Amino acid sequence: HNFVMGLLFGVLAIMLIYNASLYVFTRDNSYFAYSLYLATAALYELAITGYGPLYLWGDHLWMTWRGYELSACLAFLSATVFFRVFLELRTCKIRHLVWMNNGFVTFWAVATVLTVVQNSPYVSLSIALGGLIGGIAAVYSSIYRIFQGSVSARLCIARQAPGTRAHASGIPFADRSGS
């Protein structure tokens, strides 16, 4: 188990360093947004696996209690910002996609603040529901942008699910979906 988790965190660290260096050399904001997402996703994984309290924040009681909610909100917020940058929603002419994304950025920012200042079971419930609805909205936005001819949207949606060959075989990644 520790070996597999070490591999997970190693891959996340390599991806983070690689994308951060791409940002430094190209100044493409999508690499910065993705690097931020990877950092917060690693924080989330540290919180849910127990490695965060074990190796990083130790006996810090607040982080032990609130680390999961805080890291989930930060990961969803950074994913929403990455989605905005990668799909170029700021320059998108379809206003409802921009409004939807702005709404999710606001939701995750408020949820992050509430996680820090308030201890409530409603915050945890809103994180779960917000993640579900946000994922559905992300797929919807990608499909909508595909019909507009967005190449980045095609890349985004192609990585969401396996192809028909993989589904039929029952073996993940048994086809070349997304390539």
Side-chain angles (χ1 to χ4, degrees), residues 69-165:
E69 286 88 358
L70 178 62
S71 62
C73 287
L74 289 173
F76 280 121
L77 177 60
S78 63
T80 305
V81 170
F82 167 69
F83 203 74
R84 173 189 302 203
V85 173
F86 190 69
L87 290 182
E88 302 167 339
L89 290 180
R90 288 199 142 183
T91 61
C92 180
K93 302 275 190 250
I94 290 57
R95 301 309 306 162
H96 78 278
L97 294 181
V98 176
W99 292 337
M100 189 168 46
N101 187 266
N102 287 341
F104 280 109
V105 168
T106 303
F107 172 81
W108 289 118
V110 168
T112 301
V113 170
L114 286 177
T115 297
V116 171
V117 299
Q118 183 178 7
N119 187 8
S120 168
Y122 298 115
V123 173
S124 296
L125 179 62
S126 67
I127 291 170
L129 289 175
L132 175 66
I133 295 168
I136 293 168
V139 171
Y140 167 77
S141 298
S142 294
I143 292 171
Y144 205 95
R145 293 288 286 151
I146 286 171
F147 286 118
Q148 290 183 318
S150 171
V151 174
S152 56
R154 291 181 66 200
L155 292 173
C156 190
I157 200 72
R159 301 294 181 199
Q160 297 290 328
T164 55
R165 288 185 197 163

